[in-house]
Amino acid sequence: AARFASEDIEGDVLQNWVELPDGRRVAGNRIIRGEAAHTIGAELTARVAARGLDVSRMETGGDPMYTATPDPANSDTLFAAALQLLADPDLTPADFVTARYLLFQAPRTKKGSDAVNRTFTVAAGAALLGHHAPALPADIDLRCYVLGQHTATRLTHDQEPTR
């Protein structure tokens, strides 16, 4: 909600624009609220019910907000840019957090991508940066989904490498 207010978004959809290291801008995930979110909730409930599953415990009331992944072509572009950063022999902690952000903006699967990204980035950070690897914030997925790129990729005190 704070992002909608700070960016003067009047509609129901906030598009995250991701700046790649080469300067291109790519549409990342979207944050959806209001009527658009209620529509998504109803569609999700209908899909689950159509599979014969119990929807009575699904929470779709109130004032929901959802995140929606980018289209497959943009997701592929974001993923490729992340891997290019990680392949750079001169990788820095700042480049690493950018790559991590790009990976969360480019999920490879519908289910489990958060866990895969967490595990992969911890292992990649340890292998590529050793003790210079930024710590993984407990809420990294939420930060990457709802904060803007500049905020989500800022190295904060809780992410500073251990020495």
Side-chain angles (χ1 to χ4, degrees):
R3 286 266 322 275
F4 276 88
S6 70
E7 296 183 25
D8 295 323
I9 305 295
E10 294 182 19
D12 288 342
V13 179
L14 186 157
Q15 176 66 63
N16 276 308
W17 288 97
V18 180
E19 186 170 332
L20 300 180
D22 65 9
R24 288 179 294 158
R25 288 185 63 201
V26 176
N29 75 344
R30 292 163 289 138
I31 304 171
I32 303 163
R33 68 177 180 183
E35 271 313 303
H38 284 289
T39 299
I40 287 173
E43 290 170 356
L44 177 62
T45 302
R47 282 198 320 260
V48 170
R51 293 192 328 237
L53 301 173
D54 179 17
V55 296
S56 65
R57 293 181 178 243
M58 289 179 66
E59 178 57 58
T60 58
D63 192 18
M65 287 188 143
Y66 294 101
T67 59
T69 58
D71 69 51
N74 287 340
S75 184
D76 289 346
T77 299
L78 294 162
F79 186 75
L83 294 184
Q84 281 183 317
L85 276 172
L86 294 174
D88 186 338
D90 296 320
L91 181 72
T92 66
D95 291 337
F96 179 79
V97 295
T98 297
R100 182 169 65 191
Y101 176 77
L102 295 173
L103 290 170
F104 276 96
Q105 286 287 317
R108 308 317 295 164
T109 59
K110 286 186 178 188
K111 299 258 186 204
S113 64
D114 293 350
V116 169
N117 283 335
R118 286 170 177 274
T119 304
F120 175 74
T121 58
V122 168
L128 298 171
L129 295 172
H131 68 278
H132 297 292
L136 182 76
D139 61 348
I140 188 64
D141 50 347
L142 184 62
R143 291 181 192 205
C144 290
Y145 294 150
V146 302
L147 300 177
Q149 182 175 5
H150 176 72
T151 304
T153 59
R154 184 180 319 128
L155 282 170
T156 58
H157 177 68
D158 65 331
Q159 294 176 316
E160 289 179 7
T162 57
R163 300 196 198 285

Short mmCIF file of all heavy atoms in Angstrom, two decimals, residues 20 23 27-28 30 43 52 54-55 68 73 75 95 111 113-114 118-120 128 131 145 147 150 154 156 160 163:
data_model
loop_
_atom_site.label_atom_id
_atom_site.label_comp_id
_atom_site.label_asym_id
_atom_site.label_seq_id
_atom_site.Cartn_x
_atom_site.Cartn_y
_atom_site.Cartn_z
N LEU A 20 18.01 -3.61 -15.87
CA LEU A 20 19.05 -4.62 -16.00
C LEU A 20 20.42 -3.95 -15.99
O LEU A 20 20.54 -2.76 -16.28
CB LEU A 20 18.84 -5.41 -17.29
CG LEU A 20 17.51 -6.16 -17.41
CD1 LEU A 20 17.43 -6.89 -18.74
CD2 LEU A 20 17.30 -7.10 -16.25
N GLY A 23 21.30 -1.67 -18.77
CA GLY A 23 20.51 -0.46 -18.95
C GLY A 23 19.10 -0.68 -19.47
O GLY A 23 18.27 0.24 -19.42
N ALA A 27 9.69 -5.32 -17.70
CA ALA A 27 8.55 -5.43 -16.79
C ALA A 27 8.75 -6.64 -15.89
O ALA A 27 8.87 -7.77 -16.37
CB ALA A 27 7.25 -5.56 -17.57
N GLY A 28 8.83 -6.39 -14.59
CA GLY A 28 8.94 -7.46 -13.61
C GLY A 28 7.55 -7.83 -13.10
O GLY A 28 6.56 -7.76 -13.85
N ARG A 30 4.00 -7.62 -10.87
CA ARG A 30 3.01 -6.58 -10.63
C ARG A 30 2.42 -6.79 -9.24
O ARG A 30 2.29 -7.92 -8.78
CB ARG A 30 1.89 -6.66 -11.67
CG ARG A 30 2.34 -6.29 -13.06
CD ARG A 30 1.37 -6.75 -14.13
NE ARG A 30 1.48 -8.21 -14.22
CZ ARG A 30 0.47 -9.05 -14.36
NH1 ARG A 30 -0.76 -8.61 -14.45
NH2 ARG A 30 0.66 -10.35 -14.42
N GLU A 43 -11.10 -15.81 -9.45
CA GLU A 43 -10.59 -16.74 -10.47
C GLU A 43 -9.79 -17.87 -9.83
O GLU A 43 -9.92 -19.03 -10.22
CB GLU A 43 -9.73 -15.98 -11.48
CG GLU A 43 -10.51 -15.05 -12.37
CD GLU A 43 -9.64 -14.12 -13.20
OE1 GLU A 43 -8.39 -14.15 -13.04
OE2 GLU A 43 -10.21 -13.36 -14.01
N GLY A 52 -11.78 -29.91 -7.79
CA GLY A 52 -12.44 -30.72 -6.78
C GLY A 52 -11.88 -30.52 -5.38
O GLY A 52 -12.14 -31.32 -4.50
N ASP A 54 -11.31 -28.38 -1.71
CA ASP A 54 -12.09 -27.58 -0.77
C ASP A 54 -11.59 -26.14 -0.76
O ASP A 54 -10.42 -25.89 -0.47
CB ASP A 54 -11.97 -28.20 0.63
CG ASP A 54 -12.73 -27.43 1.69
OD1 ASP A 54 -13.61 -26.61 1.33
OD2 ASP A 54 -12.45 -27.64 2.88
N VAL A 55 -12.47 -25.21 -1.05
CA VAL A 55 -12.09 -23.79 -1.07
C VAL A 55 -12.60 -23.03 0.15
O VAL A 55 -12.40 -21.83 0.25
CB VAL A 55 -12.59 -23.10 -2.37
CG1 VAL A 55 -11.93 -23.70 -3.59
CG2 VAL A 55 -14.10 -23.14 -2.47
N ALA A 68 1.84 -10.69 -9.05
CA ALA A 68 1.72 -11.53 -10.25
C ALA A 68 3.05 -11.52 -10.97
O ALA A 68 3.68 -10.46 -11.13
CB ALA A 68 0.61 -11.01 -11.16
N ALA A 73 8.46 -14.28 -21.38
CA ALA A 73 9.60 -13.69 -22.09
C ALA A 73 10.39 -12.75 -21.18
O ALA A 73 11.62 -12.79 -21.16
CB ALA A 73 9.12 -12.95 -23.34
N SER A 75 10.38 -12.85 -17.90
CA SER A 75 10.97 -13.70 -16.86
C SER A 75 12.27 -14.32 -17.36
O SER A 75 13.28 -14.35 -16.65
CB SER A 75 9.97 -14.77 -16.45
OG SER A 75 10.47 -15.55 -15.40
N ASP A 95 26.57 -6.52 -6.89
CA ASP A 95 26.10 -7.24 -8.08
C ASP A 95 25.33 -8.49 -7.65
O ASP A 95 24.34 -8.86 -8.28
CB ASP A 95 27.27 -7.66 -8.97
CG ASP A 95 27.96 -6.49 -9.64
OD1 ASP A 95 27.34 -5.42 -9.80
OD2 ASP A 95 29.15 -6.65 -9.99
N LYS A 111 5.22 -23.23 -8.16
CA LYS A 111 5.29 -23.55 -6.74
C LYS A 111 6.75 -23.82 -6.35
O LYS A 111 7.47 -24.49 -7.09
CB LYS A 111 4.46 -24.80 -6.42
CG LYS A 111 3.01 -24.65 -6.72
CD LYS A 111 2.25 -24.40 -5.48
CE LYS A 111 0.76 -24.39 -5.79
NZ LYS A 111 0.04 -23.66 -4.83
N SER A 113 9.35 -21.75 -6.03
CA SER A 113 10.45 -20.94 -6.56
C SER A 113 11.11 -20.11 -5.46
O SER A 113 12.32 -19.87 -5.52
CB SER A 113 9.99 -20.05 -7.71
OG SER A 113 9.04 -19.11 -7.28
N ASP A 114 10.35 -19.67 -4.46
CA ASP A 114 10.96 -18.90 -3.36
C ASP A 114 12.01 -19.74 -2.64
O ASP A 114 13.12 -19.28 -2.38
CB ASP A 114 9.91 -18.45 -2.34
CG ASP A 114 8.95 -17.42 -2.90
OD1 ASP A 114 9.19 -16.91 -4.01
OD2 ASP A 114 7.95 -17.13 -2.22
N ARG A 118 16.03 -19.08 -2.52
CA ARG A 118 16.73 -18.92 -1.24
C ARG A 118 17.92 -19.88 -1.17
O ARG A 118 19.04 -19.49 -0.86
CB ARG A 118 15.79 -19.22 -0.07
CG ARG A 118 14.77 -18.16 0.19
CD ARG A 118 13.74 -18.69 1.20
NE ARG A 118 12.78 -17.69 1.53
CZ ARG A 118 12.95 -16.77 2.47
NH1 ARG A 118 14.04 -16.77 3.20
NH2 ARG A 118 12.04 -15.86 2.70
N THR A 119 17.67 -21.14 -1.46
CA THR A 119 18.72 -22.15 -1.38
C THR A 119 19.83 -21.87 -2.39
O THR A 119 21.01 -21.90 -2.06
CB THR A 119 18.12 -23.55 -1.62
OG1 THR A 119 17.07 -23.77 -0.67
CG2 THR A 119 19.17 -24.63 -1.48
N PHE A 120 19.44 -21.57 -3.62
CA PHE A 120 20.42 -21.32 -4.67
C PHE A 120 21.27 -20.10 -4.33
O PHE A 120 22.50 -20.14 -4.48
CB PHE A 120 19.72 -21.13 -6.02
CG PHE A 120 20.68 -20.74 -7.11
CD1 PHE A 120 21.55 -21.68 -7.65
CD2 PHE A 120 20.73 -19.44 -7.58
CE1 PHE A 120 22.46 -21.32 -8.64
CE2 PHE A 120 21.63 -19.07 -8.57
CZ PHE A 120 22.49 -20.02 -9.10
N LEU A 128 30.71 -18.20 -4.56
CA LEU A 128 31.29 -17.13 -5.37
C LEU A 128 31.94 -16.01 -4.56
O LEU A 128 32.89 -15.40 -5.01
CB LEU A 128 30.20 -16.54 -6.28
CG LEU A 128 29.58 -17.50 -7.28
CD1 LEU A 128 28.38 -16.84 -7.97
CD2 LEU A 128 30.61 -17.96 -8.30
N HIS A 131 33.15 -15.38 2.46
CA HIS A 131 32.70 -14.61 3.62
C HIS A 131 32.26 -13.20 3.25
O HIS A 131 31.75 -12.47 4.09
CB HIS A 131 33.78 -14.58 4.71
CG HIS A 131 35.00 -13.80 4.34
ND1 HIS A 131 36.00 -14.33 3.56
CD2 HIS A 131 35.35 -12.52 4.60
CE1 HIS A 131 36.94 -13.41 3.38
NE2 HIS A 131 36.57 -12.31 3.99
N TYR A 145 9.52 -8.81 -3.89
CA TYR A 145 8.22 -8.73 -4.55
C TYR A 145 7.56 -7.37 -4.39
O TYR A 145 6.91 -6.88 -5.30
CB TYR A 145 7.25 -9.80 -4.03
CG TYR A 145 7.67 -11.21 -4.36
CD1 TYR A 145 7.33 -12.25 -3.52
CD2 TYR A 145 8.40 -11.50 -5.49
CE1 TYR A 145 7.69 -13.55 -3.82
CE2 TYR A 145 8.78 -12.79 -5.80
CZ TYR A 145 8.42 -13.82 -4.95
OH TYR A 145 8.79 -15.10 -5.24
N LEU A 147 8.99 -4.33 -2.66
CA LEU A 147 9.79 -3.11 -2.63
C LEU A 147 10.29 -2.82 -4.04
O LEU A 147 10.44 -3.72 -4.85
CB LEU A 147 10.99 -3.28 -1.69
CG LEU A 147 10.67 -3.58 -0.23
CD1 LEU A 147 11.95 -3.78 0.55
CD2 LEU A 147 9.83 -2.47 0.38
N HIS A 150 15.46 -0.40 -6.26
CA HIS A 150 16.49 0.36 -5.54
C HIS A 150 16.49 -0.01 -4.05
O HIS A 150 17.55 -0.22 -3.45
CB HIS A 150 16.25 1.87 -5.70
CG HIS A 150 17.20 2.71 -4.91
ND1 HIS A 150 18.53 2.85 -5.26
CD2 HIS A 150 17.02 3.42 -3.78
CE1 HIS A 150 19.13 3.61 -4.36
NE2 HIS A 150 18.23 3.98 -3.47
N ARG A 154 19.41 -2.63 -1.99
CA ARG A 154 20.31 -1.87 -1.13
C ARG A 154 20.88 -2.81 -0.07
O ARG A 154 20.15 -3.54 0.58
CB ARG A 154 19.56 -0.72 -0.46
CG ARG A 154 20.45 0.18 0.36
CD ARG A 154 19.69 1.32 1.03
NE ARG A 154 18.69 1.92 0.17
CZ ARG A 154 17.42 2.10 0.55
NH1 ARG A 154 17.00 1.75 1.75
NH2 ARG A 154 16.56 2.66 -0.28
N THR A 156 21.77 -3.52 3.29
CA THR A 156 21.45 -2.95 4.59
C THR A 156 22.34 -3.61 5.65
O THR A 156 23.02 -4.60 5.39
CB THR A 156 19.98 -3.19 4.94
OG1 THR A 156 19.72 -4.59 4.92
CG2 THR A 156 19.06 -2.49 3.94
N GLU A 160 24.97 -7.21 5.64
CA GLU A 160 26.41 -7.08 5.51
C GLU A 160 27.07 -8.44 5.73
O GLU A 160 26.64 -9.22 6.58
CB GLU A 160 26.96 -6.06 6.50
CG GLU A 160 26.56 -4.64 6.13
CD GLU A 160 27.07 -3.61 7.11
OE1 GLU A 160 27.86 -3.99 8.03
OE2 GLU A 160 26.69 -2.46 6.99
N ARG A 163 32.30 -11.34 8.97
CA ARG A 163 33.76 -11.24 8.81
C ARG A 163 34.46 -12.27 9.66
O ARG A 163 34.10 -12.73 10.61
CB ARG A 163 34.24 -9.86 9.18
CG ARG A 163 33.56 -8.84 8.29
CD ARG A 163 34.29 -7.50 8.34
NE ARG A 163 33.47 -6.44 7.86
CZ ARG A 163 33.20 -6.21 6.58
NH1 ARG A 163 33.66 -6.99 5.68
NH2 ARG A 163 32.46 -5.21 6.21
#
